[in-house]
Amino acid sequence: MTIESFQDSPPGGAMLTAYDLAHIKTYLRLLDARDDPGATWQEAVHIIFGIDAQAEPDRARLVHDSHLARACWMTETGYRQLAALKNR
């Protein structure tokens, strides 16, 4: 599987961004990994982003946590904006 190009932290804020739209699959994969009792965050960041958490622990944690937070935002708020785009 190809690893998508990504920033260490996704753009924040209250508006859906082009980055969010480009990384919907990434967000879904992070949410799935979070809910898998057998998956660790280190494994998820390695598989999804290609980052070795032992070699780059601070960066790995930042990338994982910031993208997971944005994924959660998508499930709580951002999905409304996404649905509005789809209904145009």
Side-chain angles (χ1 to χ4, degrees), residues 49-81:
F49 297 100
I51 299 173
D52 181 344
Q54 286 189 315
E56 298 182 88
D58 294 337
R59 179 174 180 240
R61 184 53 102 166
L62 171 66
V63 169
H64 177 271
D65 291 355
S66 64
H67 282 81
L68 180 58
R70 192 63 176 181
C72 290
W73 174 84
M74 287 290 295
T75 68
E76 297 160 0
T77 304
Y79 75 91
R80 291 183 192 106
Q81 295 173 41

Side-chain angles (χ1 to χ4, degrees), residues 7-20 27 66-67 69-71 73-74 81:
Q7 299 172 7
D8 282 1
S9 294
M15 298 302 298
L16 190 66
T17 67
Y19 187 91
D20 294 322
Y27 296 159
S66 64
H67 282 81
R70 192 63 176 181
W73 174 84
M74 287 290 295
Q81 295 173 41

